[in-house]
Amino acid sequence: MSEQIIEGAPAPDAEENRRQVLYWRLLARLFDPEEQAGLESASLAVVEDIGLPSALLDPGASVDSVVQRHPELAAEFDGLMAPEPDEDGGRDRAAEVRRAALVSKVLLNVFATGSGTVTAEQLARWQSDAGWLERAMGCRPGELRGGRGGGGGNRAGGGPGVSPTGTGFGGPTPDLSRLIPEIGPELGSLEAGLVKRMHLREVLADPALASQLTPSMSLIEQLLRDKDNLSGVALANAKSLIRRYVDEVAQVLRTQVEKATVGDIDRSVPPKRVFRNLDLDRTIWKNLTNWDPEGERLYVDRLYYRHTSRRTTPQRLIVVVDQSGSMVDSMVNCTILASIFAGLPKVDVHLIAYDTQALDLTPWAHDPFETLLRTKLGGGTDGTVAMALAQPKIAEPRNTVVVWISDFYEWRTEELFESMAAVHRSGAKFIPVGSVTSSGRGSVNPWFREKFKDLGTPVISGHIKKLVHELKTFLT
């Protein structure tokens, strides 16, 4: 009888067991840096048996180094955690084990950040591995790290979805693409923690070490906070990193702004009669009655040209940015955004930064690099001092937009809100923005959020693309 029961029982799923071994090893290494001999040996046997390099299990090997030795793996990492659904509903269990090994490598390299001092080389390697994680989630390297997560940067948890039997890894392939809004800020937080653990001043003083640094929001924040304590070679390297980051972000934002600020065709303005504006199709169509079938020639009585003039109205854009410690990424993004708008024709840009004091940065609004060097991050928040600078600039309310970027955790809340409501009632367009980050994640004072909603000017999401889109209707 017992033999019949054993024969009738389902055979254990060897591939499923292999996959679970790899994920249990991942969790063990994330929460405890000490090796678990049994899991290590079992994982090594699995990896070698499926034809993958043993370097995938080496915590000291970057994803870059693995791909350099095994270039055929590069394509497998792309979109690894944003899998396409199987059309036939079937499961390739052998392929799932292979993906589990690659997923474990990326997650372990990114989320197991260790402790102690971080070198420039280690930061560069982590940034590269984080780029591979972003690629695995279907994003571009660096795309998710603009947000700021809470907590320190030395977290060893995999975050939501990292469970070998739960909803994250319990399915055929872990799909973390749906967790992008949460993972983006966490990556930013991890990177910030690594930067804080560096002896940044010593690194900046050594040109060879400084050249290994890759500009990022976390690094720029530290440089801006510490710029007054730098001098000589260290200050020059810091400025170079800030400028590189500003130029990279500006290139992306400039494209978005140029696409968003093209006005409608103004048909009241006669088209310029130049060859590049010639509307050939319309010219032929309108002159078809002049076709000579015998000579096979078309005689043209009139040329038609395209209208290219677009409606543009001089506008005043006042950008007010909270430069307190919680709004660093917004400060960086908005100074760059203001400089781009300042370069557009017929847009008069004014830039104000504030904490407990306000600073009119309008003379440098066209140059975000110089603007950032004049900011002083940190401190408290008192928006009334910024409003005192902004209100006199509203000469023609109907022709003015005020973009106010802050988390709105203010000292004199009611006084500030009443002045904002007065700006709105004057006819100026008032746009409150919670934060301006690449991820769009940010905290906003609930009291202000409700007040702005009642006023009819709700706080817009902090994603910078949404701010550009909101300004489009005003500037066109």
Side-chain angles (χ1 to χ4, degrees), residues 200-207 210 222-240 242 373:
L200 189 55
R201 296 180 191 176
E202 287 81 353
V203 171
L204 291 171
D206 186 333
Q222 286 297 108
L223 294 176
L224 291 175
R225 289 184 185 279
D226 204 34
K227 65 181 186 298
D228 292 337
N229 298 316
L230 301 175
S231 61
V233 174
L235 181 59
N237 286 329
K239 288 183 176 181
S240 176
I242 295 172
L373 292 183

Side-chain angles (χ1 to χ4, degrees), residues 242-292:
I242 295 172
R243 187 176 287 281
R244 280 174 55 194
Y245 185 79
V246 166
D247 290 344
E248 290 171 6
V249 176
Q251 185 176 0
V252 175
L253 294 183
R254 188 173 290 109
T255 301
Q256 297 176 6
V257 171
E258 288 173 352
K259 289 180 179 179
T261 56
V262 176
D264 297 331
I265 296 294
D266 188 354
R267 300 192 179 279
S268 65
V269 179
K272 290 185 178 180
R273 297 177 177 272
V274 294
F275 180 75
R276 68 173 179 273
N277 290 344
L278 179 63
D279 190 339
L280 189 59
D281 290 341
R282 190 178 180 210
T283 297
I284 293 174
W285 176 258
K286 290 289 188 179
N287 289 280
L288 279 179
T289 55
N290 298 330
W291 170 252
D292 179 7

Side-chain angles (χ1 to χ4, degrees), residues 25-38:
R25 173 190 176 269
L26 167 64
L27 287 179
R29 293 301 296 263
L30 282 173
F31 290 101
D32 187 354
E34 296 297 325
E35 291 187 2
Q36 301 293 325

Side-chain angles (χ1 to χ4, degrees), residues 86-311:
D86 296 328
E87 295 181 359
D88 57 2
R91 293 178 61 182
D92 185 344
R93 296 185 182 275
E96 289 174 15
V97 177
R98 188 177 181 90
R99 285 193 291 266
L102 298 175
V103 166
S104 296
K105 176 60 179 174
V106 177
L107 292 180
L108 187 60
N109 277 30
V110 172
F111 287 98
T113 56
S115 59
T117 303
V118 174
T119 66
E121 182 180 359
Q122 288 172 326
L123 177 62
R125 195 191 81 168
W126 184 91
Q127 290 174 327
S128 173
D129 287 335
W132 281 105
L133 174 59
E134 289 165 319
R135 288 175 60 170
M137 297 179 70
C139 302
R140 296 185 301 275
E143 187 174 352
L144 301 182
R145 279 170 276 165
R148 291 173 49 80
N154 189 24
R155 292 184 55 182
V162 183
S163 167
T165 57
T167 58
F169 291 155
T173 301
D175 183 359
L176 299 186
S177 59
R178 59 189 175 84
L179 298 175
I180 283 177
E182 288 78 21
I183 290 180
E186 284 302 316
L187 288 179
S189 179
L190 284 168
E191 186 173 27
L194 291 170
V195 172
K196 289 178 181 178
R197 286 159 51 191
M198 291 179 64
H199 293 303
L200 189 55
R201 296 180 191 176
E202 287 81 353
V203 171
L204 291 171
D206 186 333
L209 293 177
S211 65
Q212 298 180 31
L213 296 176
T214 300
S216 65
M217 183 61 74
S218 299
L219 182 59
I220 297 307
E221 175 180 347
Q222 286 297 108
L223 294 176
L224 291 175
R225 289 184 185 279
D226 204 34
K227 65 181 186 298
D228 292 337
N229 298 316
L230 301 175
S231 61
V233 174
L235 181 59
N237 286 329
K239 288 183 176 181
S240 176
L241 286 165
I242 295 172
R243 187 176 287 281
R244 280 174 55 194
Y245 185 79
V246 166
D247 290 344
E248 290 171 6
V249 176
Q251 185 176 0
V252 175
L253 294 183
R254 188 173 290 109
T255 301
Q256 297 176 6
V257 171
E258 288 173 352
K259 289 180 179 179
T261 56
V262 176
D264 297 331
I265 296 294
D266 188 354
R267 300 192 179 279
S268 65
V269 179
K272 290 185 178 180
R273 297 177 177 272
V274 294
F275 180 75
R276 68 173 179 273
N277 290 344
L278 179 63
D279 190 339
L280 189 59
D281 290 341
R282 190 178 180 210
T283 297
I284 293 174
W285 176 258
K286 290 289 188 179
N287 289 280
L288 279 179
T289 55
N290 298 330
W291 170 252
D292 179 7
E294 294 183 0
E296 295 185 345
R297 293 187 177 185
L298 178 66
Y299 294 94
V300 177
D301 291 334
R302 179 181 174 184
L303 296 175
Y304 291 85
Y305 297 87
R306 298 185 185 90
H307 290 78
T308 57
S309 178
R310 297 182 181 274
R311 295 189 181 96

